[in-house]
Amino acid sequence: MTVRTAYLAGDGFVDELAHELGDAYLGHGRLLIAAGPPRLTAWAANVWLDPQEIVVASISDAATKLRALQRNWAVYAPRLHRRATLIQEQLPKVSAKPLVFSAPPPSAPLGSWTLLDAETILAAPHCSSPFPNGEIRFVEDRTGPPSRAYLKLWEALTLIGRRPAPGEICLDLGSSPGGWSGALQQMGTHVISVDRAALAPEIARLPSIEHRRESVFARRLAASPPFPARNSVTCSTTSTSSLGSNRVRIKQMLSASSFLRKAGIRGPGPRPSPG
Ligand SMILES: C[S@@+](CC[C@H](N)C(=O)[O-])C[C@H]1O[C@@H](n2cnc3c(N)ncnc32)[C@H](O)[C@@H]1O
């Protein structure tokens, strides 16, 4: 049988994923199917490994066939939503509890399926993400942070399975109003928080956050590193739409890496996983 892989683009990134894959031959909403084994992609939220087409005669036949393959399933239903929901309702419930940031991701395998048409299911018992459609929902901190931006940092750290250890120095570029800086500070790190704009007062007053109100390209930022040599660093560069283009973002990252090099800081060594 020909090997193929299905890639579910992150919400709003289907064109980027199509461009990245180059040769996807079938599109189904945000799900793109390409020949061959799974590839590393930046724009896929979830990768469906070895998806199979299954012909189904009815809603209960679909549920029976899915259950025979695997226990836990997440549905992706860009079309035929009602029919897909009725099938999903006949499958075992998958916990919809939001994740506490410090908790490990679920370990049970989670398959993904979709209805290509009323009689054809595309199903993959194994996927790259243990979260339904690759989307993590966290128990949110509704009192501390000035915005919900910290959720992006939590998601990134959860997906890479690493987080800065207490005592580390973190350089947060483009940090205002301070969601990421506040989240890094909560992990016990010392944060150098750089932005031309001010931090929210509740973040600015936190201990261990040092705000530098300047451009991330500032000469003196690169010229006068404050760090003791060999401390490890997590660098979070945000600023997407406000910065305009990828070229600017790359320049910003290069500026940060030259800053860290001059400070005698090398890349982080192995760290314990979160938990
Ligand atoms: C999306 S916001 C960052 C949100 C922040 N990470 C948080 O968690 O609250 C982008 C920030 O980048 C800052 N920014 C853009 N270009 C910059 C530059 N060249 N130097 C410093 N800050 C910059 C903007 O002032 C803006 O506050």
Side-chain angles (χ1 to χ4, degrees):
M1 206 159 91
T2 326
V3 177
R4 61 184 179 162
T5 306
Y7 302 82
L8 184 70
D11 203 5
F13 296 110
V14 72
D15 291 343
E16 286 80 354
L17 179 64
H19 180 75
E20 185 175 28
L21 291 170
D23 59 354
Y25 62 84
L26 180 69
H28 177 68
R30 288 188 282 128
L31 191 69
L32 302 182
I33 301 170
R39 305 172 219 165
L40 256 188
T41 50
W43 299 103
N46 198 12
V47 180
W48 299 20
L49 311 173
D50 202 11
Q52 351 176 342
E53 272 177 41
I54 305 166
V55 175
V56 294
S58 64
I59 286 166
S60 57
D61 183 42
T64 305
K65 286 178 171 161
L66 285 169
R67 271 198 309 266
L69 284 175
Q70 140 102 334
R71 184 187 186 281
N72 294 334
W73 289 100
V75 62
Y76 172 62
R79 296 201 277 273
L80 298 161
H81 190 264
R82 178 82 191 124
R83 187 172 173 81
T85 304
L86 291 172
I87 296 170
Q88 184 70 23
E89 281 170 2
Q90 292 197 14
L91 296 172
K93 291 267 169 297
V94 174
S95 167
K97 272 209 294 202
L99 191 73
V100 173
F101 169 58
S102 51
S107 54
L110 179 64
S112 297
W113 70 276
T114 190
L115 275 172
L116 293 178
D117 59 48
E119 278 88 40
T120 316
I121 276 179
L122 185 75
H126 301 286
C127 293
S128 65
S129 173
F131 300 99
N133 296 324
E135 286 157 22
I136 311 183
R137 285 194 316 117
F138 286 106
V139 176
E140 295 191 27
D141 178 351
R142 295 191 190 276
T143 51
S147 70
R148 297 177 77 235
Y150 70 97
L151 291 168
K152 294 183 210 162
L153 180 65
W154 279 8
E155 181 173 359
L157 295 176
T158 302
L159 291 177
I160 62 176
R162 299 197 328 190
R163 56 191 281 185
E168 285 188 14
I169 294 172
C170 294
L171 178 64
D172 186 12
L173 299 178
S175 58
S176 171
W180 286 36
S181 290
L184 290 165
Q185 189 266 0
Q186 273 192 350
M187 293 173 216
T189 70
H190 179 89
V191 186
I192 314 269
S193 179
V194 186
D195 202 300
R196 287 184 297 225
L199 292 179
E202 65 273 25
I203 298 293
R205 75 170 77 97
L206 290 172
S208 301
I209 295 188
E210 190 183 320
H211 182 40
R212 298 196 177 187
R213 196 156 175 187
E214 57 197 352
S215 165
V216 300
F217 301 121
R219 271 186 182 282
R220 64 202 160 94
L221 180 66
S224 56
F227 301 150
R230 290 188 215 291
N231 212 327
S232 65
V233 169
T234 294
C235 171
S236 71
T237 307
T238 57
S239 317
T240 49
S241 52
S242 59
L243 282 179
S245 73
N246 283 332
R247 194 175 299 170
V248 179
R249 256 171 264 152
I250 288 164
K251 206 172 146 206
Q252 201 179 44
M253 289 303 292
L254 290 175
S255 166
S257 71
S258 121
F259 172 58
L260 302 181
R261 215 173 29 251
K262 284 182 189 163
I265 291 159
R266 295 189 296 216
R271 293 193 202 151
S273 51

